[in-house]
Amino acid sequence: MAISKRLLLLALLSLLISCAVGEKTKGVTYDARSMIVNGERELLFSGSIHYPRMPPEMWPDIIRKAKEGGLNVIETYVFWNIHEPVQGQFNFEGNYDLVRFIKEIGRQDLYATLRIGPYIEAEWNQGGFPYWLREVPNITFRSYNEPFIHHMKKYSEMIIELMKKEKLFAPQGGPIIMAQIENEYNNVQLAYRENGRKYIEWAAKMATSLYNGVPWIMCKQKDAPPEIINTCNGRHCADTFKGPNGPNKPSLWTENWTAQYRTFGDPPSQRAAEDIAFSVARFFAKNGTLTNYYMYYGGTNYGRTSSSFVTTRYYDEAPLDEFGLLREPKWSHLRDLHRALRLSRRALLWGTPSVQKINEDLEITVYEKPGTDCAAFLTNNHTANTAIIKFRGKEYFLPEKSVSILPDCKTVVYNTQTVVSQHNSRNFMTSEKAKNLKWEMYQEKVPTIADLPLKNRVPLELYTLTKDTSDYAWYSTSINFDRHDMPMRPDILPVLQIASMGHALSAYVNGEFIGFGHGTNIEKSFVFQKPISLKPGTNTITILAETVGFPNSGAYMEKRFAGPRGVTIQGLMAGTLDITQNNWGHKVGVFGEKEAIFTEEGSKKVQWTPVTGPTKGAVTWYKTYFNAPEGTNPLALKMDKMQKGMMWVNGKSIGRYWSSFLSPLGRPTQSEYHIPRAFLKPTNNLLVIFEETGGLPETIEIQTVNRDTICSIITEYHPPHVKSWERSGTDFASVVEDLKSGAHLNCPDNKIIEKVEFASYGNPDGACGNLVVGNCNSASSLRVVEEKCLGKNSCKIPIEREVYDEPSKDPCPNIFKTLAVQMKCGKRK
């Protein structure tokens, strides 16, 4: 009995000790070297994924792909204007369910960073601020201003309390290891003078007083208060970041831009996987321990959520494209980088760094813990020239602008410039089940001043008029002319001139559409001028003024304005007539929008007529029905022959389109628009388009989207795949028998390689989807590749010369050889 009691006491004591140890290590701290999560130093690879920019049905798959890409942290902003659109009324439903999103991150064993702002920028309407905040008396956004800091604290407290209640912070067992207050405030701080300094100090104290269980950060805040970690945003933080502003703060990179967001009228934005990898490797070589890819998945700006002129598609060039498909080689080249850095983890986190500058371009960085761990970064900063670098008795080849990572200070497992992983190309295919659409139309009535209830002597300011409830507002006035007022010559017409503060407008004279004008993201103001036909008697001038999102950046955002500010008629017999103060009628929104005719119920409120030929199209609604397209691939709506407007599927907005705003390349900035499959039913899906100025609805296509075109472009000097090595404690070794480079290809979604579309071993050129044979090519290239790959889900193709040609028959023995292949994946028969 005594022995049993002793055993019971020992067991209880052991349990108490283990609990105490567990409690002691739970939480997040940091020092100058790294973040320390639950007692463990961590290398953190993070990606920005915003929950409102996709339906919740997509969250698990997107987060899973991020994890498979080597991430261990997901970062998101919190969007005030969607959560409190009306003061005191909160919305955390559907794709606004922040708690569900954070829990999904935790369910997949990842950490989370919560950027509560509440100013977020993010190319989001009004930088995340709700419209009602703009109308609070005497408010100045982002300043030490009593009304602003009152509402900012109230909102911040609500979000923090929600996270605490759901036990989502790391010390509570949740995934959130870091939180951010404010956002890139140094960009505007000087505009607010002393109130800027006081505001940032207040924000830091307010945030840490609400919760101090995880570190708080401020990005691009070089003078961050002591209790806050200042972090870097940009493309090359290894070179631009001067480091944290305190001796015990780690070097963190909170926004590594994977490309750039686009505004309507922009050409495409690109950033090579090699450049991103180079910047990350250099940052970690310089004591960095966290990088966050902004964005890792950009998603879609549904409804009217994007800021001024920003496209509906957001950061499509991210490692996961708008449709959630892997953008190769960006996704896998970064995945391989994360693996290479993790193989170097012990040395990076516990070793002592040293730097050897060989010359202006070449340097060697070593992290070493004598007798146990060593990792090296060999860097060539020259943008054009390759180099040979000698390190510890061995020579290493370095391509231009590259970093080689040696996790054991001997073996190159990864070079940022040599992409071992596969490439792919995106394809848009017309759906067979959702084609031959039958369109019906309904045209809005162009109102006169008598139809518009809100009267004012001059045109009202547009932001204040709409209060962010619609992109549209009607303005109308009327004026009488005698026939002697109008030009007498038949070759001269009066000209209507409208000076607008932005963003766009359509003009009508006596109910007839006369033209469309707009500004740009850089210069939102513009002057509209069009010749018009007037008649003796009463003439009506009507304007449909339009916003394309509210501003999202800069100082004093609450003092921005839009809409018509001056209206004149030129070329009259008495000269120019200013009708700005002629008395105007106003109404927010268009009729179909107010009646929600984009929904099944609302569509019954108007009379639709079949579209049988070309239409005038201005302020016209179009509707059709379609069945869910075949397969499971993502879906897109091709809108390149329409002009400008909005789109809905089954009553859910899929955003703005603007095909008539061409980039300098002569093409729309965005032609295809994502339709989430989560929005669809198996049959009879309602598609409604509101076209502002006139388009060709018969050209609209519903498409399926895939990345079934896969490629590899690999040279003789590429290292073997980083998966060829593993580390166990201090042991570092290869896990394959034959350490050779080669092309590794894998079809997505368990598909098989059904066709080799291109194969060349020699000096081919181009990119995936556009490969070309050079002046050196092995005649056996296609045969070798087909033998290795046809009919398989994945394959490895050797790069050795003897596989392709006998030495005596080598067509070009004196050059470095490149293997380029392109294949088409398809479903298994």
Side-chain angles (χ1 to χ4, degrees), residues 53 81 123-126 262-264 300-314 322 463 466 468-472 503-504 546-551 593 637 639 642-648 652-660 668-674 688-692:
R53 284 178 156 138
N81 59 356
E123 293 67 62
W124 193 261
N125 213 29
Q126 207 164 237
R262 297 287 80 190
T263 61
F264 288 113
T300 305
N301 292 314
Y302 299 112
R304 304 173 42 260
T305 54
S306 64
S307 63
S308 303
F309 287 88
V310 171
T311 56
T312 300
R313 171 181 291 164
Y314 190 61
E322 183 191 13
Y463 287 150
T466 65
D468 198 25
T469 59
S470 172
D471 277 6
Y472 309 110
H503 298 155
E546 307 164 18
T547 60
V548 190
F550 275 53
E593 186 181 30
L637 195 63
M639 299 289 290
M642 297 299 283
Q643 300 291 306
K644 181 179 181 294
M646 301 193 74
M647 307 157 288
W648 293 264
K652 296 180 179 178
S653 173
I654 58 172
R656 304 178 177 105
Y657 69 90
W658 196 349
S659 303
S660 61
T669 303
Q670 181 175 351
S671 295
E672 301 90 12
Y673 294 81
H674 183 205
V688 176
I689 309 294
F690 176 59
E691 170 58 55
E692 297 167 17

Side-chain angles (χ1 to χ4, degrees), residues 556-586:
Y556 301 105
M557 285 198 306
E558 72 283 355
K559 294 177 174 62
R560 310 288 179 80
F561 307 104
R565 60 177 177 82
V567 186
T568 59
I569 300 174
Q570 301 171 332
L572 297 170
M573 293 304 291
T576 298
L577 179 65
D578 188 339
I579 58 173
T580 308
Q581 301 186 37
N582 195 54
N583 289 319
W584 291 78
H586 307 77

Side-chain angles (χ1 to χ4, degrees), residues 781-815:
S781 302
L782 182 63
R783 175 185 57 79
V784 170
V785 173
E786 287 183 336
E787 287 176 358
K788 296 289 183 182
C789 297
L790 273 182
K792 299 177 181 178
N793 169 251
S794 62
C795 63
K796 179 181 177 182
I797 310 167
I799 193 79
E800 290 77 33
R801 296 185 177 215
E802 59 269 22
V803 174
Y804 297 87
D805 298 292
E806 297 176 17
S808 61
K809 296 181 180 179
D810 190 333
C812 37
N814 299 320
I815 68 166

Side-chain angles (χ1 to χ4, degrees), residues 684-715:
N684 236 29
N685 295 284
L686 174 64
L687 170 61
V688 176
I689 309 294
F690 176 59
E691 170 58 55
E692 297 167 17
T693 65
L696 301 172
E698 64 274 15
T699 65
I700 295 173
E701 288 183 7
I702 296 170
Q703 302 174 320
T704 61
V705 190
N706 67 63
R707 287 187 175 270
D708 290 344
T709 300
I710 61 173
C711 305
S712 181
I713 305 165
I714 198 162
T715 70

Side-chain angles (χ1 to χ4, degrees), residues 431 433-434 626-632 635 677 680 682 685 702-704:
S431 168
K433 288 180 67 176
F626 67 96
N627 294 334
E630 60 278 7
T632 57
L635 305 177
R677 280 196 179 262
L680 299 189
N685 295 284
I702 296 170
Q703 302 174 320
T704 61

Side-chain angles (χ1 to χ4, degrees), residues 448-449 477-482 509-510 533-541:
T448 66
I449 185 171
T477 190
S478 63
I479 187 167
N480 285 302
F481 288 111
D482 186 271
V509 174
N510 297 324
S533 294
L534 298 172
K535 61 183 182 181
T538 300
N539 291 263
T540 297
I541 310 293

